[in-house]
């Protein structure tokens, strides 16, 4: 069975909706941010693999994927690159910052 990365995004939406009435609202929101990022990142990585016909290099694959989009000549691709950069930054804050 192939996992649909878009389900992470759907889960993220459910976490936001359910977090409002929870005693652990912050945990719901932080997890939502993390799952959103990974859903978007994995969808973008799959698109790069399909387009390039090769695997993503080992190492900092997150920067590699963002840079593919950011350095593209297409306007939409550049926007995707900027959004990946922003969402990753938010994911890092959600996963590692206690405040």
């Amino acid at each position: 069975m192939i996992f649909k990365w878009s389900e992470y995004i759907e889960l993220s939406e459910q976490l936001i909706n359910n977090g409002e009435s929870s005693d652990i609202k912050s945990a719901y929101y932080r997890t939502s941010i993390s799952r959103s990022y990974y859903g978007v990142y994995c969808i973008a990585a799959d698109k790069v693999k399909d387009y390039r016909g090769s695997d993503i290099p080992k190492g900092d694959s997150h920067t590699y994927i963002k840079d593919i989009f950011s350095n593209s000549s297409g306007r939409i691709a550049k926007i995707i690159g900027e959004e990946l950069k922003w969402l990753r930054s938010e994911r890092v804050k959600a996963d590692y910052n206690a405040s």
Side-chain angles (χ1 to χ4, degrees):
M1 178 176 90
I2 296 176
F3 182 71
K4 296 178 193 169
W5 298 116
S6 61
E7 290 181 7
Y8 271 164
I9 298 166
E10 291 175 36
L11 173 62
S12 173
E13 292 169 358
Q14 290 179 19
L15 288 166
I16 290 170
N17 293 334
N18 294 327
E20 228 9 80
S21 61
S22 174
D23 291 340
I24 55 170
K25 185 185 306 188
S26 182
Y28 272 86
Y29 293 159
R30 286 171 180 261
T31 303
S32 175
I33 291 167
S34 183
R35 293 305 85 197
S36 291
Y37 171 72
Y38 278 104
V40 171
Y41 163 77
C42 289
I43 291 168
D46 283 349
K47 294 295 181 192
V48 168
K49 285 186 239 178
D50 290 346
Y51 179 74
R52 298 226 165 173
S54 62
D55 287 335
I56 305 302
K58 302 286 185 219
D60 190 1
S61 61
H62 296 264
T63 299
Y64 175 82
I65 296 299
K66 177 207 41 100
D67 287 349
I68 292 290
F69 285 94
S70 295
N71 296 331
S72 171
S73 60
R75 186 177 69 81
I76 300 296
K78 287 184 180 296
I79 291 169
I80 292 169
E82 288 305 308
E83 292 299 317
L84 278 169
K85 179 181 176 182
W86 174 80
L87 193 51
R88 184 178 186 197
S89 170
E90 294 302 307
R91 196 269 312 162
V92 167
K93 287 182 212 172
D95 285 350
Y96 301 109
N97 292 351
S99 56

